[in-house]
């Protein structure tokens, strides 16, 4: 089985142009591989193709004014359309269905009719549309290919999929007939991914704008991802990105998503191949144990992007996790879990954690004022970002933070210094900009799912971007980087940027040949911004012996007692025990 995962999401965007900023921010933050969008509320010519391409996604769509319109986005490629309408009614002109193949999987974006008011013509249309869906879904299921029926079904399957209230009793979303049709889909063999992995959780995907329903968490689950048998066998994770609903100007829906494992032995064409990771890059626990025993005495330096994993932990874990004084602790616990896991599996000679300095800009901000503009961190996250370095130090590890530098700079400087002394380096980060550091001696540890890290070397960088690691800054300058607000070269996407870099060898050579003459100075600036500073100041990184007992004492002070207990156990043993998941840790 390949180690890579494919993340597929369904998102009723509720006006793609009005909420384009929300959509791009979510794409940039979560990086789903495929997205099924509904309720575009835009004609075909109004679809924001250029902005979505700039974000790194190809798209196919069927637009329509008013309440309809559906699209499928795919990261780094163009979806291959297999159907633009739901069969069964040639006179139906409503844009409610599109279907495409992406990386060997058939994905739909369906937007079932709402059906209100009921009874009446709209409800009758809803039932008829669902019958057509049942017929087509059966054909798809029997085709023997992996299929994800993603979309807004406008059906609340059961009473556990809605908050406890009677105000929806007469709503078409809850009527027995559409619910029965949904159950017929499941009886065909389709697997409700969210319920398969979260059978008893209160999962909602829609919160009306009316009656203060979002602040009251008065939600419904009407956005579903149903998996055919072949897709269900590959199900690794599923969830709802609730935080998206709480943003300013948000849709009344939140994205629902699944992660599917790569098919065993599966291969795809270069055009359809996604950001796959060599299966050798993920080690099963038994192989990892053997690998650690076989390591030579000269162990690697582990360098960690602290902000990357702190941010991931904060947004992934419940905000109800608290420490002393009822203060927030989710990011602290999530980061601690990742740190201990990395130490257990990699057994480095030393650990360095790099940090941004939020209150002071860098030369990048001065040179390009728009750099990283618009970022706004929750106060509870900022509070924990100040505390996590204290936990790192208590473990006996080193921190690097200095005004004028970013975490990436410390990662680059540490990797360069360790390579000069003949050592090997592991750079743990969820930021793909670090791929520029990959070499024969430096490997990037990139998170692909909870508890697992992909190992990215020069070969994997080439497979992903089509360029060598040292060319990644040139690639970013041309392609642009929406997360950092770098515009890139006009009209150049990821494929075009890679092709140009391969043709000319570097941005400098490309500009010398006269390409993009008007943008030359800007592109040089973007490249300098994308290049990590290998001269960033570093603390001394001597061989370290973990001080788990000090970390345990700090955890006790914070009243994170189960974490403290685990650290105390680690302090008593020569070899630290397996790092349990944060969910187990919380009991």
């Amino acid at each position: 089985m390949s180690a890579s995962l494919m993340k597929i999401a369904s998102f009723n965007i509720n006006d793609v142009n009005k909420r384009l900023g929300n959509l791009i921010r979510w794409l940039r933050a979560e990086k789903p591989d495929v997205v099924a969008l509904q309720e575009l509320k835009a004609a075909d010519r109004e679809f924001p193709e250029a902005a979505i391409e700039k974000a790194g996604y190809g798209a196919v769509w069927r637009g329509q004014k008013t309440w309809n319109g559906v699209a499928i986005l795919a990261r780094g490629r163009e979806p291959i359309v297999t159907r633009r309408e739901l069969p069964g009614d040639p006179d139906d002109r409503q844009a409610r269905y599109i279907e495409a193949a992406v990386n060997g999987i058939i994905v739909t974006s369906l937007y079932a009719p709402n059906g209100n008011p009921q009874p009446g013509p709209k409800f009758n249309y809803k039932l008829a549309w669902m019958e057509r869906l049942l017929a087509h879904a059966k054909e798809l299921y029997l085709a023997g290919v992996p299929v994800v029926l993603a979309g807004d079904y406008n059906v609340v399957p059961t009473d556990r999929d809605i908050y406890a209230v009677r105000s929806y009793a007469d709503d078409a979303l809850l009527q027995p007939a559409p619910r029965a049709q949904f159950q017929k889909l499941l009886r065909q063999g389709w697997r409700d991914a969210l319920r398969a992995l979260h059978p008893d959780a209160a999962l909602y995907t829609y919160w009306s704008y009316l009656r203060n329903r979002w602040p009251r968490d008065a939600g419904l689950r009407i956005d579903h991802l149903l998996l055919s048998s072949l897709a269900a066998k590959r199900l690794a994770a599923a969830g709802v990105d609730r935080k998206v609903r709480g943003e300013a100007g948000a849709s009344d829906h939140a994205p629902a998503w699944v992660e599917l494992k790569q098919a065993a032995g599966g291969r795809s064409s270069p055009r359809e191949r996604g950001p796959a990771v060599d299966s050798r890059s993920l080690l099963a626990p038994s192989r990892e144990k053997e690998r650690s025993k076989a390591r030579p005495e000269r162990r690697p330096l582990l360098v960690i992007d602290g902000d990357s994993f702190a941010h991931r932990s904060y947004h992934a874990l419940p905000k109800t996790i608290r420490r002393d004084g009822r203060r927030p602790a989710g990011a602290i616990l999530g980061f601690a879990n990742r740190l201990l896991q990395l130490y257990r599996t990699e057994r480095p000679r030393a650990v360095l954690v790099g940090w941004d300095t939020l209150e002071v800009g860098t030369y990048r901000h001065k040179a390009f004022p728009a750099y990283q503009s618009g970022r706004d961190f929750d106060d509870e996250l900022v509070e924990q970002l100040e505390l996590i370095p204290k936990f790192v130090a208590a473990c006996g590890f080193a921190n690097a933070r200095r005004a004028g530098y970013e975490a990436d700079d410390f990662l680059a400087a540490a990797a360069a210094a360790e390579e000069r002394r003949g050592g090997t380096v592991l750079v743990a980060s969820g930021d793909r900009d670090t791929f520029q550091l990959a070499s024969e001696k430096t490997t990037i540890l990139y998170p692909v799912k909870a508890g697992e890290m992909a190992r990215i070397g020069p070969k994997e960088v080439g497979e992903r971007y089509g360029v060598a690691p040292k060319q990644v800054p040139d690639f970013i300058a041309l392609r642009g980087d929406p997360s950092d607000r770098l515009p890139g070269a006009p009209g150049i996407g990821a494929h075009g940027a890679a092709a140009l870099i391969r043709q000319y060898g570097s941005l400098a050579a490309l500009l010398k040949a006269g390409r993009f003459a008007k943008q030359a100075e800007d592109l040089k600036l973007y490249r300098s911004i994308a290049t990590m500073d290998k001269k960033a100041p570093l603390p001394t990184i001597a061989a370290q012996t973990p001080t788990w007992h000090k970390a345990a004492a700090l955890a006790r002070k914070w009243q994170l007692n189960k974490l403290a207990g685990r650290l105390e156990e680690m302090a008593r043993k020569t070899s630290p025990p397996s790092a349990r998941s944060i969910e187990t840790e919380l009991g």
Side-chain angles (χ1 to χ4, degrees):
M1 180 182 71
S2 172
S4 60
L5 295 174
M6 186 174 183
K7 184 173 182 178
I8 301 172
S10 180
F11 191 4
N12 182 316
I13 192 61
N14 189 11
D15 196 323
V16 68
N17 286 304
K18 182 177 181 180
R19 307 187 205 284
L20 183 59
N22 300 67
L23 173 62
I24 298 299
R25 283 192 296 273
W26 172 71
L27 292 174
R28 185 173 68 236
E30 300 302 329
K31 300 175 177 60
D33 297 292
V34 186
V35 182
L37 292 178
Q38 303 88 40
E39 205 171 336
L40 302 179
K41 294 184 178 178
D44 278 338
R45 64 182 180 278
E46 298 170 334
F47 185 79
E49 180 183 13
I52 288 173
E53 181 181 0
K54 191 73 171 178
Y57 286 78
V60 293
W61 64 93
R62 185 181 173 204
Q64 193 171 19
K65 284 286 192 181
T66 64
W67 307 104
N68 299 326
V70 286
I72 295 175
L73 317 183
R75 186 157 58 97
R77 71 199 69 164
E78 293 296 325
I80 300 174
V81 175
T82 55
R83 184 172 287 277
R84 290 186 179 273
E85 68 288 318
L86 187 65
D89 184 357
D91 295 326
D92 188 357
R93 295 292 181 264
Q94 296 197 30
R96 294 185 174 274
Y97 188 91
I98 194 168
E99 178 185 296
V102 183
N103 202 25
I105 296 178
I106 298 294
V107 180
T108 75
S109 180
L110 64 89
Y111 182 40
N114 176 278
N116 284 309
Q118 68 85 27
K122 292 185 177 180
F123 188 70
N124 294 338
Y125 173 66
K126 177 190 184 79
L127 297 181
W129 195 94
M130 290 293 290
E131 285 298 324
R132 290 159 55 199
L133 177 63
L134 277 164
H136 184 54
K138 184 177 181 179
E139 292 183 2
L140 286 174
Y141 190 88
L142 295 176
V145 296
V147 184
V148 179
L149 287 181
D152 178 355
Y153 285 68
N154 268 316
V155 175
V156 177
T158 68
D159 288 347
R160 64 179 171 167
D161 298 302
I162 183 172
Y163 75 107
V165 71
R166 295 182 178 179
S167 63
Y168 276 94
D170 294 329
D171 197 285
L173 308 182
L174 278 74
Q175 296 312 300
R179 279 183 162 183
Q181 289 173 316
F182 190 87
Q183 293 304 314
K184 286 182 180 179
L185 275 172
L186 300 184
R187 286 197 294 272
Q188 288 180 355
W190 298 95
R191 190 175 187 187
D192 183 347
L194 284 170
R195 278 293 169 227
L197 297 186
H198 308 285
D200 301 313
L203 290 171
Y204 306 139
T205 63
Y206 166 80
W207 297 259
S208 171
Y209 295 125
L210 304 176
R211 301 180 184 177
N212 209 34
R213 285 191 169 115
W214 166 247
R216 294 191 293 117
D217 197 24
L220 298 75
R221 189 171 75 98
I222 58 177
D223 305 271
H224 309 296
L225 297 108
L226 304 188
L227 310 182
S228 68
S229 60
L230 289 179
K233 290 177 181 178
R234 295 159 58 175
L235 179 61
V240 179
D241 288 339
R242 285 174 54 98
K243 64 181 181 294
V244 176
R245 176 59 178 84
E247 295 179 351
S251 167
D252 43 8
H253 293 248
W257 54 268
V258 297
E259 287 182 340
L260 304 182
K261 302 171 187 176
Q262 187 71 285
R267 297 183 65 86
S268 54
S269 68
R271 178 179 177 83
E272 276 293 291
R273 187 176 297 127
V277 179
D278 192 325
S279 60
R280 293 169 295 182
S281 65
L282 292 179
L283 302 175
S286 60
R287 289 184 60 202
E288 178 58 34
K289 185 175 181 181
E290 294 173 2
R291 179 175 174 268
S292 64
K293 288 181 179 178
R295 280 197 182 96
E297 185 61 28
R298 193 163 195 173
R299 296 179 292 170
L301 171 67
L302 173 62
V303 189
I304 300 174
D305 185 339
D307 290 87
S308 173
F309 288 109
H311 279 258
R312 282 174 172 265
S313 299
Y314 177 76
H315 291 295
L317 296 178
K319 303 303 181 288
T320 54
I321 300 173
R322 297 280 150 170
R323 56 182 176 85
D324 58 313
R326 302 301 300 162
R327 302 304 303 164
I332 296 172
L333 276 174
F335 181 90
N337 186 65
R338 180 66 76 176
L339 176 64
L340 299 183
Q341 179 198 46
L342 285 168
Y343 191 87
R344 175 187 67 85
T345 57
E346 304 302 338
R347 300 304 298 272
R349 73 166 186 86
V351 178
L352 173 73
V353 183
W355 300 96
D356 293 339
T357 304
L358 300 182
E359 63 274 13
V360 180
T362 69
Y363 74 90
R364 298 177 176 95
H365 298 87
K366 295 176 182 177
F368 187 61
Y371 178 65
Q372 294 183 342
S373 60
R375 293 187 177 184
D376 187 19
F377 302 147
D378 294 348
D379 291 342
E380 291 195 346
L381 172 58
V382 174
E383 177 181 327
Q384 293 177 83
L385 285 171
E386 291 301 314
L387 292 176
I388 295 174
K390 296 181 180 179
F391 179 80
V392 172
C395 289
F397 304 144
N399 289 293
R401 176 184 276 169
R402 179 80 64 91
Y405 297 93
E406 298 180 30
D408 285 351
D409 297 325
F410 300 116
L411 271 56
E418 190 71 8
E419 286 193 2
R420 285 196 299 270
R421 68 186 295 273
T424 58
V425 189
L426 298 171
V427 176
S429 176
D431 185 350
R432 288 184 296 275
D433 289 358
T434 56
F435 289 5
Q436 65 188 268
L437 303 179
S439 71
E440 294 304 315
K441 293 185 177 181
T442 296
T443 300
I444 313 303
L445 301 179
Y446 184 77
V448 292
K449 64 177 289 188
E452 293 185 354
M453 307 284 280
R455 304 181 98 80
I456 307 294
K459 176 176 177 290
E460 288 75 24
V461 174
E463 290 175 348
R464 183 182 184 87
Y465 282 159
V467 299
K470 67 179 181 180
Q471 296 172 319
V472 167
D474 304 71
F475 171 81
I476 293 172
L478 281 174
R479 181 206 60 186
D481 187 343
S483 65
D484 288 338
R485 296 292 194 267
L486 298 181
I492 302 296
H495 296 298
L500 286 170
I501 295 301
R502 288 195 300 269
Q503 178 182 354
Y504 289 94
S506 69
L507 176 65
L510 180 151
L511 297 177
K512 187 176 180 179
R515 301 296 301 270
F516 304 106
K518 294 182 179 179
Q519 292 83 31
E521 294 305 314
D522 288 340
L523 293 175
K524 291 177 184 177
L525 174 61
Y526 303 156
R527 187 192 185 282
S528 70
I529 289 173
T531 303
M532 297 177 181
D533 186 356
K534 295 182 179 181
K535 296 182 179 180
L538 294 172
T540 301
I541 313 174
Q544 300 165 344
T545 299
T547 52
W548 303 129
H549 62 288
K550 291 183 180 180
L554 182 59
R556 288 283 180 205
K557 178 181 177 181
W558 286 340
Q559 297 179 12
L560 301 177
N561 293 325
K562 291 190 176 182
L563 173 61
R566 178 153 62 97
L567 288 163
E568 289 164 352
E569 181 182 357
M570 294 171 70
R572 290 192 294 268
K573 296 182 177 181
T574 303
S575 297
S578 173
R580 292 172 290 178
S581 69
I582 204 71
E583 290 82 2
T584 302
E585 187 62 28
L586 294 173

